[in-house]
Amino acid sequence: MGRRSILVATGWVATAAIATLIGLGAIRLVGESLTGTPGGVMPAGWQPSRPGGRER
């Protein structure tokens, strides 16, 4: 395996790692914006409101 092939492979691995980290960060950001909690996890006992805004 030549030096150039090793550099190409290293570049692809680095690109995939960076893309994965960006994707995980985006998922966390969207989850927080939708639910208001880190990672999009709802607090224990949380119930969605009924249509019309009346709570259960």
Side-chain angles (χ1 to χ4, degrees), residues 48-56:
S49 60
R50 290 184 177 201
R54 294 189 316 244
E55 295 293 325
R56 290 184 175 180

Side-chain angles (χ1 to χ4, degrees), residues 16-42:
I18 291 169
T20 299
L21 291 175
I22 290 171
L24 291 173
I27 289 169
R28 183 177 177 98
L29 181 65
V30 169
E32 286 178 5
S33 68
L34 291 175
T35 63
T37 58
V41 177
M42 299 307 298

